[in-house]
Amino acid sequence: MSSNPWAGRFAGNMAASMAAYTESLAVDARMIAEDIWGSQVHALMLHRCGHLDDAALATILHWLERARADHERGSFVMRAELEDVHMNVETYLIQGAGAEFGGRLHAARSRNDQVLTDCRLYVRARLLSVEDALLELATTTLALAAQHTRTVMPGYTHSQHAQPITAGYWLSAHVAGWLRDLRRLQAAYRNLNTSPLGACALAGTDLRTDREYSARLLGFDAVLEHALDATSARDFLAEALSALTLLMVALSRLGEELVWFSSHEFGLLELADAFTSGSSIMPQKKNPDCAELTRGKAGRVIGDLVQLLTVLKSVSLGYSRDLQEDKPPVWDALDQVHGALRVLTGALGSITLRPERMRAMVDANFATATQLANWLVAARDVPFRQAHEIVGRLVGEFTRQGCTLTATAEVVAQLAGAGIAASAAEVAAVLDPLQGVERQASQGGPAPGETARLIAGYQTALAAARADWRQRVTAVSAARDETARLVAAALSR
Ligand code: ARG
């Protein structure tokens, strides 16, 4: 007979190939702290409902505490032949406490609600660190943006010079998007923070239980009631992974900009040595690997989401072993997104912007043409379509002559040819990129004052998101402390 706790009805052992193929320890070992916490709470609940006497509870909690101490000092030995982390913890308990006491813990519990309890607790903790890291990145980026609300640079559409913006405006746009990512992560957190514990295999139990009590001690906001739903649902993982994927795609787009903007051709910025790497053959190279890998790993995280959704789409309600494949893509996305956030925070915190180069590029390629057309509308009462035509012809002519809109006298002459009188001083002011940006003061536009207003709003939103985060961190540690207090009380009885 096999050594597995479920092996009673089996006459023969599992084949080695079957054991190797089906074990999940390599993936779920990282939930051991959550498995122990969930087990402690389950034991406390069983005692409260009359299934464990004081001695049984104290013995079980003693061995679970030992398991925790062993794990924390790195000496908890896990065995793959026990399949998963749950069987490892329970086997440790039974070996320590003996079958008479240790064998009582799994009443009114199944691995189906157990794995989901662990998983929700684990992902909850990891989402908190992702949010923390995203708040750091957003705060760093916003501080940089605030220093550059008057640093003119080209804004692009179609990867062509479009209109002047500022570096602060460019950077704060990323923060505006990340605030939505934060809200998606918060929503995923709230949807996952409900307790499946006590749903058992699929249909609850005929033993007396108190699911509200377990939920509260684990820091869940509520019981996830319907037992068949609670043991079947994996949308909490898909939702968290979707939020992570959208965030990673956003980071990838920033990565794309950092790659191009740091190239010799653009020269708009330089990444610090600490966030670049060299070439094994070309001595001059300084490569933006952190930004490139963020683009690359975004592909990987998108793959994680597709992988999870594909696993889920054809599993009927009730646990099926397919569902064991839910964790690897989520773990991977959590790890990769967290890594990207940390490295980009470092990269942006140490970046050097090149305002002179930004300004030179704005002057070089007609980025201010729309300013001239709008001036014709506002100051000379020219219909916009006609203004567009006049400036378009002027640009065509300048392109042939090889001059730019900084050639004020030429602009005056061209406008005169189109029947528009303008002084050189007037034209110079109209075509000055910084003055142009200052006039671009429509709601949400790049005018320094408007950008500063947006930045202040984002700072307020980040502070609120940080407060919300802190409140959830506090609630989780209060639940953990309350469990510890009850464990200590039971052990001292
Ligand atoms: N390792 C399993 C998983 O991750 C745990 C649940 C196993 N349940 C079962 N009925 N075999 O899904």
Side-chain angles (χ1 to χ4, degrees):
M1 206 180 78
S2 118
S3 62
N4 264 303
W6 45 251
R9 60 101 72 216
F10 290 82
N13 282 328
M14 190 183 272
S17 58
M18 171 71 180
Y21 188 67
T22 57
E23 65 89 11
S24 58
L25 188 64
V27 172
D28 57 38
R30 53 160 99 185
M31 304 191 300
I32 183 170
E34 288 76 16
D35 197 76
I36 293 169
W37 187 12
S39 297
Q40 288 175 325
V41 166
H42 186 65
L44 289 163
M45 188 281 292
L46 289 177
H47 175 261
R48 182 184 171 85
C49 293
H51 303 297
L52 297 177
D53 61 20
D54 288 356
L57 176 67
T59 309
I60 288 171
L61 291 178
H62 169 79
W63 285 97
L64 288 173
E65 278 296 286
R66 278 189 65 148
R68 193 163 69 88
D70 281 359
H71 159 62
E72 279 168 10
R73 80 170 86 84
S75 62
F76 189 101
V77 181
M78 299 214 219
R79 290 155 45 204
E81 69 271 21
L82 291 174
E83 246 184 75
D84 54 30
V85 68
H86 325 294
M87 288 303 186
N88 270 278
V89 171
E90 195 185 345
T91 302
Y92 177 100
L93 169 69
I94 291 173
Q95 279 171 358
E100 174 55 26
F101 286 154
R104 292 178 185 273
L105 178 65
H106 209 60
R109 184 176 80 167
S110 152
R111 266 188 300 166
N112 298 348
D113 59 339
Q114 187 180 357
V115 66
L116 284 163
T117 303
D118 295 3
C119 201
R120 283 173 188 262
L121 293 174
Y122 178 78
V123 176
R124 181 175 84 176
R126 293 296 309 270
L127 282 182
L128 284 175
S129 24
V130 167
E131 279 181 56
D132 183 28
L134 178 52
L135 283 164
E136 286 291 307
L137 174 62
T139 304
T140 301
T141 306
L142 212 50
L144 185 62
Q147 292 164 25
H148 289 283
T149 57
R150 303 179 68 80
T151 306
V152 170
M153 68 177 272
Y156 293 83
T157 64
H158 309 268
S159 303
Q160 309 284 327
H161 289 186
Q163 289 181 264
I165 59 170
T166 66
Y169 189 66
W170 162 54
L171 291 165
S172 56
H174 283 285
V175 178
W178 296 335
L179 282 164
R180 291 190 295 278
D181 288 297
L182 273 169
R183 286 204 292 276
R184 279 188 282 270
L185 291 168
Q186 289 170 356
Y189 185 102
R190 299 217 146 84
N191 276 333
L192 75 73
N193 198 29
T194 56
S195 177
L197 190 59
C200 303
L202 75 164
T205 176
D206 54 358
L207 299 171
R208 199 165 86 78
T209 56
D210 187 344
R211 297 189 63 193
E212 298 288 344
Y213 176 81
S214 312
R216 198 167 55 246
L217 273 189
L218 290 169
F220 287 121
D221 296 327
V223 170
L224 188 59
E225 290 190 305
H226 197 300
L228 180 55
D229 169 54
T231 50
S232 306
R234 295 295 186 283
D235 53 293
F236 76 95
L237 290 175
E239 187 177 1
L241 184 44
S242 302
L244 291 169
T245 305
L246 286 174
L247 170 56
M248 195 66 185
V249 167
L251 299 179
S252 176
R253 296 178 75 177
L254 171 61
E256 170 86 358
E257 291 177 332
L258 293 178
V259 168
W260 286 109
F261 289 0
S262 66
S263 69
H264 179 76
E265 284 71 14
F266 279 77
L268 301 183
L269 51 86
E270 192 181 334
L271 295 173
D273 288 1
F275 293 94
T276 49
S277 46
S279 156
S280 61
I281 176 169
M282 297 166 283
Q284 85 285 11
K285 290 302 292 290
K286 183 175 170 188
N287 298 325
D289 295 22
C290 66
E292 293 170 295
L293 273 168
T294 302
R295 279 191 318 205
K297 286 167 185 279
R300 174 171 168 177
V301 172
I302 292 167
D304 290 329
L305 176 61
V306 173
Q307 184 180 331
L308 177 66
L309 294 175
T310 310
V311 168
L312 297 185
K313 73 172 183 54
S314 41
V315 179
S316 54
L317 294 190
Y319 181 83
S320 293
R321 198 64 182 272
D322 318 37
L323 294 174
Q324 181 168 290
E325 292 298 318
D326 61 356
K327 288 173 272 320
V330 178
W331 287 190
D332 186 58
L334 285 165
D335 293 346
Q336 297 312 323
V337 171
H338 194 249
L341 290 167
R342 279 170 42 102
V343 82
L344 289 175
T345 302
L348 284 166
S350 57
I351 208 166
T352 306
L353 301 187
R354 301 275 181 234
E356 335 69 52
R357 171 67 182 156
M358 291 177 173
R359 173 60 198 255
M361 281 177 71
V362 167
D363 287 339
N365 193 26
F366 304 106
T368 53
T370 308
Q371 291 172 205
L372 186 56
N374 280 351
W375 173 78
L376 291 174
V377 170
R380 294 295 184 270
D381 198 28
V382 179
F384 181 76
R385 272 288 151 248
Q386 213 175 310
H388 188 291
E389 170 77 16
I390 292 168
V391 178
R393 283 178 190 282
L394 185 153
V395 169
E397 186 53 35
F398 273 35
T399 306
R400 281 183 290 278
Q401 292 175 12
C403 66
T404 70
L405 290 174
T406 55
T408 308
E410 275 304 308
V411 176
V412 170
Q414 288 288 330
L415 289 175
I420 311 282
S423 72
E426 212 172 0
V427 163
V430 167
L431 287 172
D432 179 77
L434 182 56
Q435 289 185 48
V437 158
E438 279 166 346
R439 290 190 300 267
Q440 205 82 1
S442 61
Q443 185 178 3
E450 182 62 2
T451 307
R453 186 186 69 79
L454 293 172
I455 288 175
Y458 301 153
Q459 269 156 352
T460 305
L462 288 177
R466 178 56 88 185
D468 186 276
W469 174 88
R470 203 169 287 120
Q471 206 179 344
R472 284 174 286 140
V473 168
T474 308
V476 168
S477 58
R480 211 186 285 279
D481 291 349
E482 175 66 359
T483 307
R485 200 184 61 73
L486 292 172
V487 168
L491 288 176
S492 69
R493 265 201 291 271

